[in-house]
Amino acid sequence: MGRNISIKVARAQLDITQKQLAEKVGISRQTMNAIEQGEYNPTIKLCRAICKILGKSLDELFGEDDSNEATKK
Amino acid sequence: MKLPKNNLDEMQEHKLLKIEHNGCWFAIWSLLAAIFIQLSLFDEYAIRSIAAEWIILMCLCIYLSVSCIKNGIWDRRLKPTAKTNLIISLVSSLVSGLIVSVSSYLKYHFLIGSAITGGIMFLMVFVLTIFALTLSMKFYYKKISTIETDCEE
C-alpha cells in the first residue's frame, strides 16, 4: 500500500496537526500516522469521518491519483 | 453489567485481535506438546496428569470448530474435500502413532510391543480424525447452503 499524501496536504491546508486530526476523528495518533504512511487500510466508516473533518470527498482523499503513491505489490 | 467503553480504535482493535489470535494458536500447540511430553515421561497416572490440559484443549478446539462452522468458515488454505481429510487424518495418526511407539519403547524397551502400541494408536487416531473431519465437513456444507439461500432472499 502506498503513502497517502492527499491527507497530509489537506491537513496542511487547514493547519491541523496529525494529533489534532486524530483527536477529532476519535482515533489514536498512531493509527492516523499509519493511514498517512499507507501502513493501515482504514474502514469506509473511518475514511468518511476523516473526509468530513478535512472537508474533502472520499475520491479526493482515498481515490487513486498522482498525489497518492501507487499501490506497491 | 455494563462494560466500560472500548479505548481502542479500529487499527488497535485489529492488532489486538491479531495478538489474541497468535496467543490462541500458541496455547493450542503448547497444550498439545505438554500432553505428549507428559504421556512420554510419566509411567503411572499418565492419563490423570494430562486430564486438565486435555479438557482445556478440547474446549478450545470445540469452541473454534463450532464457531467456524456456524459462520461458514473452513480454513484459510485447505479446502474441505475427502482427499484433504484423508491426508490430514493420515499425517496426524502417523505422528501420534510414532510418538506413542517411541515413548513406549523408551519406557519398556520392548520393540514389538511398542510397535503394536503405536499401530493401535495410529488406527484409533486415524478413525477418530477422519470421522470428526467428515462430520464437520457435512455440517460445514449444510451451513454454507443455508447462508447462500439467505443471501439470495
Side-chain angles (χ1 to χ4, degrees):
Chain A
M1 210 162 70
R3 278 165 60 187
N4 193 316
I5 295 158
S6 308
I7 296 180
K8 206 173 178 177
V9 172
R11 202 162 48 72
Q13 282 169 354
L14 293 173
D15 199 23
I16 298 175
T17 63
Q18 210 174 50
K19 195 183 172 196
Q20 286 169 327
L21 178 60
E23 275 169 7
K24 282 183 180 178
V25 176
I27 57 173
S28 64
R29 197 196 154 182
Q30 177 197 357
T31 302
M32 197 65 241
N33 185 55
I35 294 167
E36 283 191 11
Q37 296 303 314
E39 288 160 10
Y40 176 65
N41 201 1
T43 60
I44 192 76
K45 196 179 161 192
L46 183 52
C47 289
R48 287 181 66 177
I50 295 168
C51 289
K52 201 176 168 188
I53 302 290
L54 295 176
K56 300 276 180 186
S57 70
L58 267 174
D59 204 38
E60 282 174 300
L61 291 187
F62 297 97
E64 274 188 44
D65 58 24
D66 295 338
S67 61
N68 287 335
E69 284 181 17
T71 305
K72 289 166 196 166
K73 283 188 179 175
Chain B
M1 198 182 86
K2 205 181 168 190
L3 287 170
K5 190 183 142 262
N6 188 349
N7 295 319
L8 305 180
D9 63 36
E10 59 174 57
M11 188 183 82
Q12 290 168 327
E13 189 72 46
H14 189 76
K15 281 191 175 168
L16 182 64
L17 284 172
K18 224 171 182 179
I19 293 164
E20 286 169 345
H21 158 90
N22 291 338
C24 177
W25 282 107
F26 179 73
I28 286 179
W29 289 111
S30 309
L31 281 168
L32 200 64
I35 288 170
F36 275 121
I37 290 167
Q38 287 184 80
L39 274 177
S40 319
L41 291 179
F42 299 121
D43 293 348
E44 291 170 49
Y45 313 116
I47 299 294
R48 239 185 248 180
S49 71
I50 61 159
E53 286 92 333
W54 189 80
I55 291 168
I56 296 167
L57 182 69
M58 283 304 111
C59 289
L60 248 171
C61 291
I62 290 167
Y63 167 73
L64 288 175
S65 307
V66 171
S67 307
C68 284
I69 291 170
K70 262 176 90 177
N71 288 287
I73 296 167
W74 184 256
D75 186 69
R76 276 195 191 84
R77 291 172 188 92
L78 298 173
K79 286 191 173 171
T81 60
K83 194 185 161 192
T84 321
N85 290 350
L86 190 76
I87 293 168
I88 293 169
S89 308
L90 269 173
V91 171
S92 56
S93 49
L94 262 171
V95 171
S96 321
L98 232 126
I99 291 172
V100 167
S101 54
V102 168
S103 73
S104 169
Y105 182 73
L106 289 173
K107 270 189 249 175
Y108 307 110
H109 306 287
F110 184 53
L111 192 66
I112 301 166
S114 308
I116 292 169
T117 314
I120 293 168
M121 184 55 125
F122 169 83
L123 270 175
M124 276 169 58
V125 173
F126 179 77
V127 170
L128 285 172
T129 315
I130 200 129
F131 174 73
L133 284 173
T134 311
L135 198 71
S136 307
M137 193 173 79
K138 205 179 157 190
F139 285 131
Y140 166 78
Y141 279 123
K142 207 175 161 187
K143 185 69 196 176
I144 282 288
S145 72
T146 316
I147 291 171
E148 278 171 11
T149 314
D150 290 347
C151 286
E152 281 164 16
E153 281 166 8

